[in-house]
Amino acid sequence: MMDNTKSSSELYGYDIMLDENYVPWLIEVNSSPAMDYSTDITRELVKEVLEDCIKVMVDFHFAPKRKQSTIDTGNFKKIYKGKPI
């Protein structure tokens, strides 16, 4: 884990499985997920995640507060807003 500073960020990887009823089960959380192109699917996913991370960390973060709701964040959605830890 990284120190909590305003000039750092960290990406976590979540491994999820679906059971026969499509109920998601969290298997593990990775603090340093693999970002290599091990399959055709991961090739597309990794490219998308990296591009969307830049959209959030640069475009959204540096946009004026009044314009943040219009910034393209790719497939990232804010699901919780709380005080920084």
Side-chain angles (χ1 to χ4, degrees):
M1 290 183 91
M2 296 171 61
D3 292 332
N4 185 13
T5 66
K6 289 185 177 187
S7 61
S8 66
S9 62
E10 193 166 1
L11 179 67
Y12 290 92
Y14 293 82
D15 293 345
I16 298 170
M17 289 183 69
L18 300 176
D19 67 18
E20 63 275 357
N21 296 313
Y22 301 104
V23 175
W25 292 84
L26 177 63
I27 305 302
E28 67 178 349
V29 178
N30 302 298
S31 60
S32 296
M35 300 299 279
D36 57 330
Y37 300 153
S38 56
T39 68
D40 290 340
I41 293 171
T42 57
R43 177 183 312 276
E44 295 305 314
L45 289 174
V46 167
K47 288 178 182 180
E48 186 176 321
V49 166
L50 293 175
E51 183 178 318
D52 290 353
C53 282
I54 297 300
K55 290 176 182 178
V56 171
M57 292 187 296
V58 177
D59 299 345
F60 180 82
H61 179 74
F62 290 106
K65 295 283 185 201
R66 68 184 186 285
K67 291 189 176 185
Q68 284 183 343
S69 64
T70 64
I71 299 297
D72 176 19
T73 56
N75 285 319
F76 284 109
K77 305 290 182 228
K78 183 184 275 188
I79 59 172
Y80 176 76
K81 181 179 180 181
K83 295 180 181 180
I85 307 173

